[in-house]
Amino acid sequence: MREETISIEGVSSVDIYGVNDRKLDKIRQFFPDVRILARGSEIRLEGEDRQVELLKERIEALIDNARKGDILNDSELERLLDYESYPGEIEDREPAHSEDYYNIVYGNEGRIVKARTRNQRRLVDEYYRNDLIFALGPAGTGKTYTAIALAVRALKNKEVKKLILTRPAVEAGERLGFLPGDMKEKLDPYLQPLYDALHDMIHPRKLQILMEEGIIQIAPLAYMRGRTLDSAFVILDEAQNTSLGQLKMFLTRMGSNAKFIVTGDATQIDLPNKKDSGLMRGVSLVQNIKGVAVINFGTEDMVRHPLVSRIIKAFEKVEEV
């Protein structure tokens, strides 16, 4: 049996306990075997040694975030409390950078776009070490969003001259020919997630100007053929819907002073024949080349509604049978 007392002096109790103790109730759900007594500016923990140690670690992380003005929402709090997703042993963790290091870019209305999860932070780290990064994993883990934030920062810092976002125009159950409108109108629905991320980080008027000047380009993958992309930050999204030949075509567009990030989810292939996907075969061919990094995101990196990670885990159990 172990007892610990944690002080939240200097932090608003609402930021830690939540309105009507909502956050405190959430903490109790994740650690039912630990007795938690919260009074004023002190939290007292009583329980089995390891459980108290883990919970103390998480509460101190919550307090540290609050002191920095980073108030966690329900989804982020669940991810912090999740026994499986939170690094358990301090000695196993990678050396930590300062929190400011992972503040990637200031978005609209002064909002900070930051890398929050372990693999999002690894993506930031690998950006400085490698010119080609594969960010693989399920939807909602922030792969593309973090990549676009890095690209916007690189553009703002004049590290590159242009930002190019591309994805294959492939969706389940639809073909371009059956969609209304001209070619741009047919393609825009496929590229909308990329527009959404950019609108979070760049003022709409400024974004329009940058796109009109060709400094930011959003285009289907087929439009990359024949180009050499120098001084560019290029992101290929939904790469699971590319063939091995298409992936090779894209990767060989890399010019001097270029950064390439490829994102994809091998469980969400929309090609008529899933075996035509070349993403994982392509990764296996290049992953040992110097200058290439592969990051495997998981449900612990989920930044959407807390239910999303549970839904994905439920579907994975069925797919394994």
Side-chain angles (χ1 to χ4, degrees):
M1 184 68 69
R2 178 173 172 179
E3 297 180 1
E4 290 282 352
T5 300
I6 305 170
S7 172
I8 65 168
E9 197 73 47
V11 177
S12 169
S13 60
V14 174
D15 293 340
I16 306 302
Y17 304 153
V19 177
N20 296 324
D21 288 345
R22 178 173 172 174
K23 289 185 179 180
L24 207 54
D25 291 340
K26 182 73 69 176
I27 292 171
R28 290 190 174 108
Q29 288 175 22
F30 275 80
F31 288 85
D33 297 328
V34 179
R35 188 179 181 211
I36 304 171
L37 302 171
R39 293 177 181 170
S41 62
E42 286 190 348
I43 303 174
R44 185 177 178 81
L45 309 178
E46 299 176 3
E48 185 269 325
D49 286 8
R50 181 60 177 153
Q51 288 291 303
V52 168
E53 179 186 350
L54 288 171
L55 180 52
K56 180 185 177 186
E57 196 174 309
R58 286 154 171 76
I59 291 176
E60 287 177 342
L62 180 63
I63 294 168
D64 188 49
N65 276 304
R67 286 198 173 115
K68 294 168 183 172
D70 186 8
I71 310 304
L72 303 187
N73 59 33
D74 286 352
S75 175
E76 293 163 342
L77 178 61
E78 286 205 7
R79 192 163 59 249
L80 175 69
L81 294 169
D82 192 331
Y83 180 90
E84 296 179 351
S85 72
Y86 197 74
E89 302 296 336
I90 295 174
E91 58 267 24
D92 289 341
R93 299 181 196 175
E94 297 179 3
H97 294 283
S98 68
E99 283 298 313
D100 289 345
Y101 178 86
Y102 294 107
N103 292 342
I104 304 174
V105 70
Y106 285 90
N108 291 327
E109 300 178 356
R111 176 175 169 270
I112 299 175
V113 178
K114 65 186 297 182
R116 296 183 178 275
T117 72
R118 194 176 191 181
N119 282 312
Q120 288 174 13
R121 293 183 175 209
R122 190 180 163 209
L123 181 54
V124 175
D125 294 336
E126 296 296 349
Y127 165 77
Y128 292 105
R129 301 172 187 152
N130 301 278
D131 290 334
L132 171 59
I133 303 170
F134 289 88
L136 312 175
T141 52
K143 307 181 304 292
T144 302
Y145 198 83
T146 304
I148 291 176
L150 285 168
V152 170
R153 183 176 70 178
L155 188 63
K156 288 185 175 181
N157 292 344
K158 302 189 185 304
E159 296 169 17
V160 295
K161 294 181 179 177
K162 52 184 175 282
L163 191 168
I164 300 171
L165 309 177
T166 184
R167 66 189 311 193
V170 176
E171 293 293 339
E174 281 188 322
R175 294 184 180 179
L176 287 175
F178 295 109
L179 295 176
D182 59 22
M183 182 57 70
K184 182 181 184 304
E185 291 170 329
K186 289 175 186 286
L187 292 170
D188 275 352
Y190 297 91
L191 304 174
Q192 192 59 48
L194 306 180
Y195 286 111
D196 290 344
L198 285 173
H199 277 110
D200 279 353
M201 304 174 203
I202 303 174
H203 191 279
R205 205 172 308 128
K206 177 68 173 176
L207 178 59
Q208 183 179 355
I209 293 171
L210 291 172
M211 293 183 70
E212 289 173 354
E213 294 177 349
I215 295 172
I216 292 180
Q217 302 172 25
I218 303 179
L221 180 60
Y223 286 31
M224 297 295 106
R225 189 174 299 276
R227 302 181 66 180
T228 299
L229 305 173
D230 296 319
S231 298
F233 198 126
V234 190
I235 297 172
L236 169 59
D237 190 33
E238 301 287 355
Q240 75 274 5
N241 290 327
T242 62
S243 67
L244 189 61
Q246 288 175 315
L247 185 60
K248 176 186 175 184
M249 178 275 290
F250 171 77
L251 296 179
T252 53
R253 300 307 94 202
M254 183 181 286
S256 61
N257 190 38
K259 289 278 189 178
F260 274 40
I261 295 182
V262 178
T263 70
D265 176 7
T267 68
Q268 288 194 335
I269 299 170
D270 297 316
L271 298 170
N273 185 349
K274 296 184 184 299
K275 293 181 180 179
D276 289 338
S277 174
L279 175 60
M280 300 315 296
R281 284 182 290 160
V283 169
S284 68
L285 291 172
V286 303
Q287 63 184 351
N288 294 322
I289 298 175
K290 186 176 180 180
V292 177
V294 179
I295 304 172
N296 291 297
F297 286 70
T299 52
E300 68 272 15
D301 297 297
M302 285 290 174
V303 291
R304 293 182 180 171
H305 192 284
L307 277 176
V308 175
S309 62
R310 297 172 192 165
I311 291 168
I312 288 177
K313 287 178 180 177
F315 273 81
E316 284 175 348
K317 289 178 182 177
V318 175
E319 290 164 358
E320 288 171 0
V321 176

